[in-house]
Amino acid sequence: MELTAAERLDLEALKNKIEEQLHGQGVKFSEREIQHIEDMKNKIHAHVDKKILIEKLASIAQGNDPIDKSLYEKYDVKRGLRNKNGTGVLVGLTSIGDVVGYEVKDDKKVAIPGRLIYRGYNVESLIKDAEAHNQFGYEQCAYLLLFGKLPTQDELNEFNELLGSMRALPDNFTEDMIMKAPSDDIMNKLARGVLASYSYDPNPEDRSLSNVLRQCVELISRFSTLTAYGYQAKRRYYDGKSMYIHNPLPELSTAENFLRLIRNNKAFTDDEAKLLDLALILHAEHGGGNNSSLTVHVVSSADTDTYSAIGAAVGSLKGRRHGGANIQVSQMMDDIKENVKDWSNENEVKAYLEKIANKEAFNHTGLIYGMGHAVYTINDPRATLLRDKAAKLAREKGLEEEYNLYKMVEKFSPDILYNKHGDGKKICANVDLYSGFVYSMLNIPRELFTPIFAVSRIAGWSAHRIEEIVAGGKIYRPAYKNISAEREYVPIEKR
């Protein structure tokens, strides 16, 4: 508050100083110039007054809303929809995906090696099949998630042609909805792009399954285009760099088109596209209980349109506790690289990780980003697969020293956090630890890390929306217990 008052004094002093200088040289302000200074001063004062009022109101809200933590225990509140043993509260059933990391025996979680299941199939099998046939696998993965069956080659070709025919955005959409309203945050731009798609849909409110499926397939096809164009607009309007708007090609895969659209020369290698394709497969689905997929179920249960449900999911994924975690990992690794002199010195790396865990370094939260998962304990299969690919790419690009630094974070963090918190559970690296490193080696800008997650996860979100429409039928309505006492109303003149 004192600083804002000082700003007022500084503004007045500056005006007086300028007047004295100019008058001393025989120069005077015209009445119009004086009025302009007064107008600017009034605008600044009004801005400062608003800021003071907002800070005052925020202080009131901060003091009014805390809830005694003991009450959560008293009323057996499942905070974060988690049971006391760490398992998720069962709120629904799904046949789309499964995240396996533990078994429950005698009401206790028993860790087992992690598995990621899409429609009953281990995701590792999907990846091996794509590699064996030298094919891009994300489109087959999307087909499987949507329709619950593995496609024949003819069915896959037909589906790929359908996706390819839909990749271009509607007429005037790029100029009117992206270029005229750019955003510094591409996830925000993507969410707005999804909501704006409602206005370009000739039948946005039809909840029939065929129409919803058509909308979902269009979004799966166009998410890479929406994201890439949002990135190009950011480059132009926020970064002061050149903007390149390339047309997507219908014959290219999602991974290929995305790399084509974000690069000024449209160039990419097959190896680059295949590695991005792997990342898209690994991020496409993660069960119905993750925050953004649950958001799709909750919002869809209200019987709203597809664009509102998917837009809400994008907002969820943007969060730093969800899809935004890979950015946190990259920022943490920047900090480690800056403060650890010898990246190969295990003792030095371990000591700095302990500082991070003790809230003495990085962002002082005590979190080692890229470590831990709600379900996986022994290993996150996504992290394992990306780590192995990252090792190969790091050797090719001469980045083995940096790769080994990531490996040390994975090696030492579980024991450091276990000794710090002593909660009886050790943790493993999650997919975010290596995904950002892989993207950076592909020369993908950091601001696209989380949007790539969305480009992939739209397949899973679409499957969950369809499942909610087909098998749901009840609006989500959990309970919140009010803990405040009723009060007698006080007339305004007596307050």
Side-chain angles (χ1 to χ4, degrees):
M1 301 301 177
E2 293 179 4
L3 286 176
T4 55
E7 288 174 2
R8 297 187 182 199
L9 293 174
D10 288 343
L11 180 68
E12 192 67 35
L14 179 62
K15 178 194 169 188
N16 292 337
K17 185 176 180 180
I18 293 173
E19 284 186 304
E20 289 171 3
Q21 270 190 325
L22 294 178
H23 290 168
Q25 297 176 8
V27 179
K28 292 185 178 181
F29 285 120
S30 67
E31 289 187 8
R32 182 178 180 182
E33 289 171 330
I34 292 173
Q35 185 60 51
H36 179 66
I37 291 176
E38 289 295 328
D39 290 344
M40 290 300 295
K41 184 175 73 172
N42 291 335
K43 287 181 180 179
I44 293 175
H45 287 175
H47 175 75
V48 170
D49 289 340
K50 287 180 182 178
K51 184 178 178 181
I52 292 172
L53 177 59
I54 291 296
E55 290 295 331
K56 176 183 175 181
L57 294 174
S59 178
I60 294 173
Q62 178 73 25
N64 186 57
D65 282 338
I67 295 175
D68 186 343
K69 291 184 178 180
S70 66
L71 294 177
Y72 291 101
E73 185 76 20
K74 176 181 178 181
Y75 295 111
D76 191 27
V77 178
K78 305 297 191 296
R79 301 189 71 184
L81 292 180
R82 303 277 182 88
N83 295 308
K84 288 182 179 179
N85 62 3
T87 61
V89 174
L90 185 62
V91 298
L93 302 174
T94 183
S95 61
I96 298 169
D98 196 11
V99 182
V100 182
Y102 60 83
E103 296 174 345
V104 178
K105 295 181 179 179
D106 299 324
D107 202 34
K108 293 183 179 180
K109 289 169 64 177
V110 178
I112 60 175
R115 301 193 310 278
L116 177 57
I117 309 297
Y118 292 173
R119 293 288 191 176
Y121 298 100
N122 193 314
V123 71
E124 294 184 24
S125 299
L126 296 173
I127 293 167
K128 288 178 181 178
D129 182 68
E131 292 176 344
H133 292 85
N134 194 31
Q135 291 181 331
F136 290 92
Y138 175 71
E139 287 71 26
Q140 176 174 229
C141 174
Y143 185 102
L144 172 64
L145 292 172
L146 286 174
F147 307 116
K149 65 184 286 288
L150 292 170
T152 65
Q153 189 62 58
D154 287 342
E155 288 171 334
L156 181 58
N157 292 342
E158 186 179 53
F159 186 62
N160 284 339
E161 289 179 10
L162 179 63
L163 289 174
S165 70
M166 295 176 168
R167 292 204 190 276
L169 302 183
D171 292 343
N172 302 319
F173 188 103
T174 302
E175 180 181 0
D176 293 342
M177 294 296 132
I178 297 178
M179 301 308 167
K180 289 184 178 179
S183 174
D184 189 38
D185 187 284
I186 298 166
M187 288 295 283
N188 175 272
K189 183 72 257 180
L190 178 59
R192 284 192 283 166
V194 172
L195 292 174
S197 296
Y198 180 102
S199 300
Y200 291 77
D201 187 332
N203 198 15
E205 288 290 343
D206 182 355
R207 308 285 202 280
S208 68
L209 185 58
S210 60
N211 193 59
V212 169
L213 177 62
R214 186 265 305 171
Q215 293 169 331
C216 288
V217 173
E218 284 184 353
L219 289 174
I220 292 170
S221 176
R222 291 174 180 168
F223 253 47
S224 56
T225 310
L226 286 167
T227 298
Y229 286 1
Y231 163 68
Q232 294 292 353
K234 175 189 179 297
R235 277 176 54 91
R236 168 66 179 85
Y237 294 102
Y238 288 89
D239 302 338
K241 298 178 181 179
S242 297
M243 177 174 66
Y244 302 90
I245 301 298
H246 307 306
N247 292 326
L249 298 181
E251 67 270 20
L252 297 183
S253 68
T254 302
E256 291 173 303
N257 261 309
F258 185 74
L259 292 175
R260 168 186 165 82
L261 295 181
I262 67 171
R263 293 181 174 175
N264 59 351
N265 61 2
K266 301 179 282 189
F268 58 88
T269 67
D270 186 66
D271 284 344
E272 287 179 321
K274 291 285 175 55
L275 183 53
L276 179 57
D277 181 69
L278 169 66
L280 295 179
I281 295 171
L282 293 175
H283 288 85
E285 162 61 3
H286 217 230
N290 69 81
N291 196 278
S292 56
S293 294
L294 177 63
T295 297
V296 171
H297 278 281
V298 171
V299 179
S300 294
S301 77
D303 193 26
T304 191
D305 65 276
T306 295
Y307 305 104
S308 294
I310 300 301
V314 174
S316 165
L317 190 69
K318 177 187 173 183
R320 289 178 291 183
R321 293 178 180 175
H322 193 7
N326 52 20
I327 300 292
Q328 300 290 316
V329 172
S330 298
Q331 293 171 347
M332 180 189 74
M333 294 304 297
D334 287 345
D335 182 75
I336 292 172
K337 287 183 283 187
E338 184 178 338
N339 289 281
V340 173
K341 294 181 179 179
D342 183 0
W343 296 359
S344 65
N345 188 317
E346 291 191 349
N347 291 330
E348 191 176 351
V349 172
K350 185 176 181 181
Y352 197 74
L353 288 171
E354 288 174 342
K355 283 186 175 182
I356 293 176
N358 289 326
K359 302 182 181 181
E360 299 169 359
F362 185 42
N363 61 4
H364 306 287
T365 62
L367 299 174
I368 299 180
Y369 293 95
M371 299 302 302
H373 190 270
V375 179
Y376 301 126
T377 301
I378 294 178
N379 73 298
D380 180 341
R382 304 168 301 169
T384 302
L385 289 162
L386 272 186
R387 182 187 63 208
D388 294 343
K389 294 294 183 180
K392 179 177 181 293
L393 189 59
R395 285 194 298 271
E396 294 173 356
K397 292 183 174 289
L399 295 172
E400 289 180 278
E401 185 180 18
E402 187 171 350
Y403 170 75
N404 289 331
L405 182 60
Y406 277 83
K407 288 266 291 180
M408 276 193 266
V409 172
E410 180 181 11
K411 176 181 178 181
F412 296 126
S413 295
D415 286 334
I416 290 172
L417 294 171
Y418 179 79
N419 294 333
K420 172 70 177 175
H421 301 293
D423 57 2
K425 181 185 77 171
K426 285 195 176 183
I427 62 176
C428 64
N430 61 50
V431 68
D432 296 315
L433 182 63
Y434 289 101
S435 63
F437 182 48
V438 167
Y439 298 151
S440 66
M441 288 193 290
L442 291 175
N443 296 316
I444 294 174
R446 187 170 293 181
E447 58 262 45
L448 284 170
F449 290 3
T450 305
I452 288 173
F453 199 155
V455 170
S456 167
R457 186 56 64 85
I458 178 59
W461 291 338
S462 297
H464 282 287
R465 171 156 173 80
I466 292 170
E467 185 178 66
E468 182 63 35
I469 290 172
V470 172
K474 279 187 174 291
I475 187 171
Y476 278 74
R477 182 59 171 86
Y480 261 71
K481 182 175 180 59
N482 178 48
I483 58 169
S484 63
E486 289 194 27
R487 295 181 286 182
E488 186 174 342
Y489 185 78
V490 180
I492 193 166
E493 65 272 10
K494 295 184 178 180
R495 296 173 200 167

